[in-house]
Amino acid sequence: LAKTTQPISMDSYEGQEVNITCSHNNIATNDYITWYQQFPSQGPRFIIQGYKTKVTNEVASLFIPADRKSSTLSLPRVSLSDTAVYYCLVGPLNNNAGNMLTFGGGTRLMVKP
Amino acid sequence: EADIYQTPRYLVIGTGKKITLECSQTMGHDKMYWYQQDPGMELHLIHYSYGVNSTEKGDLSSESTVSRIRTEHFPLTLESARPSHTSQYLCASSEPAAGSDEQYFGPGTRLTVT
């Protein structure tokens, strides 16, 4: 499975756009990129998933360059409630071959007033 | 809102006791998972299941065991609890056939072994 690298932590202010980049240099052809958000004392929650180019939903955007060796999660106009840990996962979908996605350390985002 | 439940939410128990953490989901998902997470630390996959009668160990060695006799139920058992088992245990499920294989997490069980 592709190894991912993310910044350990980031700080931002309310109303700013936050971009969190994940590196995955050995991503495989059938791998997808998935981002989760985790608040303290809760389980992670799915945010967005993509394979290439750009994906947007009501929460975030995901930018994936042509070589797919990295991806950027973009959170528009963050608020204090976006303070959380964000995880980047890379791997195939519908994988029943015994390899499971791992969450890693994630990026701890702190949004300040 | 995901329909996945864990009981108990909090458990304080003495060393040497046998405990079972319950996890149930009403979504009919085939895949289920158990994760262990210490405060402020990484999530570690300790067990997973692809369906009934299928269980596998995850990337973190654990002294716990699991069973999957019914699709909706995936209990985790510790035969003899130790202080090193103190942690939060998170259960999740997903349905690969739905496309994204999105994992839905339960609220977790915070276990303290004294």
Side-chain angles (χ1 to χ4, degrees), chain A residues 62-94:
Chain A
L62 179 59
F63 298 92
I64 305 167
D67 66 5
R68 303 199 328 122
K69 292 184 184 299
S70 67
S71 58
T72 299
L73 174 73
S74 181
L75 305 172
R77 298 183 58 79
V78 294
S79 64
L80 297 177
S81 61
D82 292 315
T83 294
V85 178
Y86 293 83
Y87 298 95
C88 166
L89 283 71
V90 174
L93 301 184
N94 306 326

Side-chain angles (χ1 to χ4, degrees), chain A:
Chain A
L1 292 175
K3 176 179 166 56
T4 61
T5 303
Q6 312 174 224
I8 293 174
S9 64
M10 292 180 69
D11 288 342
S12 182
Y13 291 92
E14 282 190 291
Q16 289 187 334
E17 177 184 77
V18 170
N19 295 308
I20 305 174
T21 297
C22 179
S23 297
H24 28 81
N25 289 320
N26 59 337
I27 188 170
T29 303
N30 59 342
D31 283 346
Y32 281 72
I33 300 153
T34 309
W35 286 81
Y36 283 80
Q37 173 192 57
Q38 185 181 25
F39 297 114
S41 301
Q42 295 184 24
R45 183 182 69 161
F46 175 96
I47 302 176
I48 198 166
Q49 184 181 79
Y51 183 82
K52 62 180 179 181
T53 62
K54 177 184 175 181
V55 180
T56 297
N57 61 23
E58 65 278 5
V59 177
S61 294
L62 179 59
F63 298 92
I64 305 167
D67 66 5
R68 303 199 328 122
K69 292 184 184 299
S70 67
S71 58
T72 299
L73 174 73
S74 181
L75 305 172
R77 298 183 58 79
V78 294
S79 64
L80 297 177
S81 61
D82 292 315
T83 294
V85 178
Y86 293 83
Y87 298 95
C88 166
L89 283 71
V90 174
L93 301 184
N94 306 326
N95 182 13
N96 289 326
N99 293 322
M100 300 299 292
L101 298 178
T102 57
F103 276 79
T107 297
R108 193 171 301 275
L109 173 66
M110 173 69 72
V111 180
K112 302 174 182 177

Side-chain angles (χ1 to χ4, degrees), chain B residues 61-88:
Chain B
S61 175
S62 174
E63 294 166 342
S64 58
T65 59
V66 292
S67 63
R68 190 88 183 275
I69 299 172
R70 302 197 315 266
T71 297
E72 62 272 20
H73 196 214
F74 191 41
L76 180 145
T77 298
L78 278 166
E79 290 292 333
S80 180
R82 294 208 301 269
S84 61
H85 296 141
T86 295
S87 189
Q88 181 172 31

Side-chain angles (χ1 to χ4, degrees), chain B residues 40-54:
Chain B
M41 304 298 286
E42 290 185 30
L43 271 154
H44 290 287
L45 180 68
I46 52 175
H47 298 283
Y48 59 96
S49 166
Y50 292 123
V52 172
N53 294 325
S54 143

